[in-house]
Amino acid sequence: MAAASATTLSVGSATTFGSILSSKSQSNTSAVKYNTRNYLRNFSGLKAEAFVRCESESSFLGRESAAALRQSITPNAQIGKQKSWNHVWPQASYKVAILGAAGGIGQSLALLIKMSPLVSSLHLYDIANVKGVAADLSHCNTPAQVVDFTGASELANCLKGVDVVVIPAGIPRKPGMTRDDLFNINANIVKGLVEAVADNCPDAFIHIISNPVNSTVPIAAEVLKQKGVYDPKKLFGVTTLDVVRANTFITQKKNLRLIDVDVPVVGGHAGITILPLLSKSKPSTTFTDEEVQELTVRIQNAGTEVVEAKAGAGSATLSMAYAAARFVESSLRAIDGDADVYECTYVESNLTELPFFASRVKLGRNGVEALISSDLNGLTEYEQKALEALKPELKASIEEGIAYAQKGIVTA
């Protein structure tokens, strides 16, 4: 979907970078540097970097993982037989805050973001138990500096100067829990955290993970409007997990190479509002009617699949952290000047009559640069019917979130 980024990641005792950088990255003074003659299209599926080489066998990846990475390297198109390379020294220069960093998603997400070469400072916030997470994570030999913040009194300091805020805070879905149960608790949590974001880093990209995303993103939008700092281009519902699952399930079903597979997923982020557009999948793949229905239903119910498999011990924390890390990395690449970054995400939209809608978007320095409307053209009869069927449910969730924020209800 997106081209490889301008920066790279390799962790070891003697590593070097090579890439095209924004002026902001060039001006930073971090000592970590990378160099290679190979392009890496994708780091662990996060679509994070170009030019990666694991020069040290003491890398945290280990020999087998490093070998696997090398096998996934494919060169970009070269002009003629040109063998010269322009090398500059990129530096980590962005601050990311995770609100809810001590939770099941937050801890794994923090680890993945700590690995990003674009992150200079990682701020971890939670109401309790975050100091130990930060201490543990700070021992990882990657450039990002980890700082912990505990409780409401430290939230403002956590957010000052942050470029990207990620909000996984809230309770996970448990067996037997209704959507209303989840909404009544998480809506208030998101409302309070977004108020703090509006007061302390109103220009930051805001990534909402807390469910139900179909409602919590409209809540966040209303809070930002009330604060006079709403920028629809910078507010995102993280639906990347639906894409990750679609890519994985289709790869398994059709025996494809995972690195080649990309499926746009539109609509919302719950049940039937999740609509994978299998007819738009890349590479172009033929599905029977039975396969379309089977894959669509599995992608829509994948969260329940994990909840039931964990038998009350949790929800989809690891895959959600992985997907969120991919979206954070894409956002940072866009902020850093990469002109070819595309992701599916739930945003304010005019692609349908609904005020919010998940679709593929082009990301840039200032957030959403374009909504990719072409994905909704030429849908199959099955997809068109599914699109119309999801709209009433998604509309109700959006209206519920807006009404909650406008009334200022405190429930949790």
Side-chain angles (χ1 to χ4, degrees):
M1 181 183 291
S5 169
T7 52
T8 62
L9 174 61
S10 176
V11 179
S13 58
T15 51
T16 54
F17 276 91
S19 118
I20 301 170
L21 299 175
S22 69
S23 57
K24 180 172 181 179
S25 293
Q26 292 173 355
S27 64
N28 195 279
T29 58
S30 170
V32 178
K33 54 185 179 180
Y34 293 67
N35 182 19
T36 184
R37 293 195 294 174
N38 293 317
Y39 288 97
L40 179 62
R41 287 179 56 193
N42 152 323
F43 178 73
S44 296
L46 298 180
K47 297 187 178 180
E49 340 293 339
F51 293 43
V52 174
R53 177 178 173 188
C54 302
E55 295 185 357
S56 170
E57 294 298 350
S58 65
S59 164
F60 75 96
L61 294 169
R63 295 189 181 189
E64 292 182 2
S65 296
L69 280 174
R70 292 190 188 102
Q71 289 176 4
S72 71
I73 293 172
T74 55
N76 284 355
Q78 299 181 21
I79 301 175
K81 294 183 179 180
Q82 181 179 359
K83 294 184 179 180
S84 62
W85 303 84
N86 295 323
H87 294 295
V88 287
W89 309 109
Q91 314 297 338
S93 55
Y94 299 106
K95 294 183 179 181
V96 176
I98 301 176
L99 309 185
I105 295 171
Q107 290 193 42
S108 299
L109 177 58
L111 174 60
L112 292 170
I113 294 177
K114 178 75 163 69
M115 294 164 61
S116 171
L118 289 170
V119 178
S120 60
S121 184
L122 180 57
H123 291 188
L124 306 183
Y125 170 83
D126 217 315
I127 57 174
N129 303 323
V130 74
K131 289 188 181 297
V133 175
D136 193 1
L137 197 60
S138 68
H139 294 177
C140 299
N141 64 323
T142 64
Q145 299 298 307
V146 181
V147 187
D148 62 272
F149 301 86
T150 302
S153 63
E154 297 184 8
L155 181 55
N157 286 335
C158 171
L159 294 170
K160 292 188 185 304
V162 165
D163 299 291
V164 175
V165 179
V166 192
I167 305 180
I171 64 166
R173 189 158 62 96
K174 300 176 182 178
M177 179 176 285
T178 68
R179 186 185 168 283
D180 287 340
D181 293 335
L182 196 66
F183 176 85
N184 288 333
I185 297 173
N186 288 353
N188 196 54
I189 293 172
V190 169
K191 181 175 180 291
L193 292 175
V194 174
E195 286 173 345
V197 172
D199 291 338
N200 295 284
C201 55
D203 294 326
F205 281 26
I206 306 171
H207 295 184
I208 304 292
I209 297 174
S210 307
N211 275 315
V213 166
N214 291 352
S215 297
T216 54
V217 171
I219 289 171
E222 291 302 310
V223 169
L224 295 167
K225 288 176 184 177
Q226 292 167 11
K227 292 280 188 175
V229 294
Y230 179 49
D231 184 347
K233 296 179 179 180
K234 294 184 176 181
L235 176 63
F236 307 91
V238 181
T239 61
T240 321
L241 180 54
D242 300 324
V243 176
V244 166
R245 286 167 167 163
N247 291 350
T248 300
F249 299 162
I250 288 170
T251 296
Q252 295 169 345
K253 185 73 174 178
K254 307 301 284 188
N255 196 28
L256 301 172
R257 286 203 325 156
L258 185 58
I259 197 171
D260 296 330
V261 177
D262 180 32
V263 183
V265 182
V266 303
H269 187 55
I272 67 165
T273 69
I274 300 169
L275 178 57
L277 301 179
L278 303 187
S279 68
K280 306 289 184 177
S281 64
K282 298 184 187 306
S284 181
T285 305
T286 300
F287 300 92
T288 66
D289 292 344
E290 291 75 16
E291 286 175 331
V292 169
Q293 184 171 2
E294 176 190 339
L295 285 166
T296 299
V297 171
R298 188 181 179 200
I299 293 163
Q300 290 173 339
N301 295 330
T304 300
E305 182 179 314
V306 175
V307 169
E308 291 177 349
K310 290 189 175 182
S315 58
T317 54
L318 300 175
S319 55
M320 183 65 249
Y322 170 85
R326 165 175 156 169
F327 193 70
V328 169
E329 194 76 14
S330 292
S331 295
L332 293 175
R333 287 170 46 215
I335 294 171
D336 198 51
D338 190 331
D340 193 23
V341 182
Y342 296 83
E343 289 284 1
C344 289
T345 178
Y346 181 65
V347 294
E348 182 175 304
S349 174
N350 60 6
L351 295 185
T352 70
E353 64 271 26
L354 300 171
F356 293 90
F357 191 79
S359 69
R360 202 158 53 99
V361 307
K362 184 178 189 296
L363 296 174
R365 291 184 185 278
N366 297 312
V368 176
E369 287 191 349
L371 304 172
I372 310 304
S373 60
S374 59
D375 286 339
L376 295 181
N377 297 332
L379 299 181
T380 65
E381 181 180 358
Y382 179 91
E383 290 167 344
Q384 190 62 51
K385 288 181 178 179
L387 176 60
E388 295 307 314
L390 72 81
K391 288 179 180 178
E393 183 166 328
L394 184 53
K395 181 175 184 288
S397 296
I398 293 169
E399 290 175 348
E400 184 179 24
I402 292 173
Y404 177 91
Q406 290 179 344
K407 292 178 180 178
I409 300 172
V410 178
T411 55

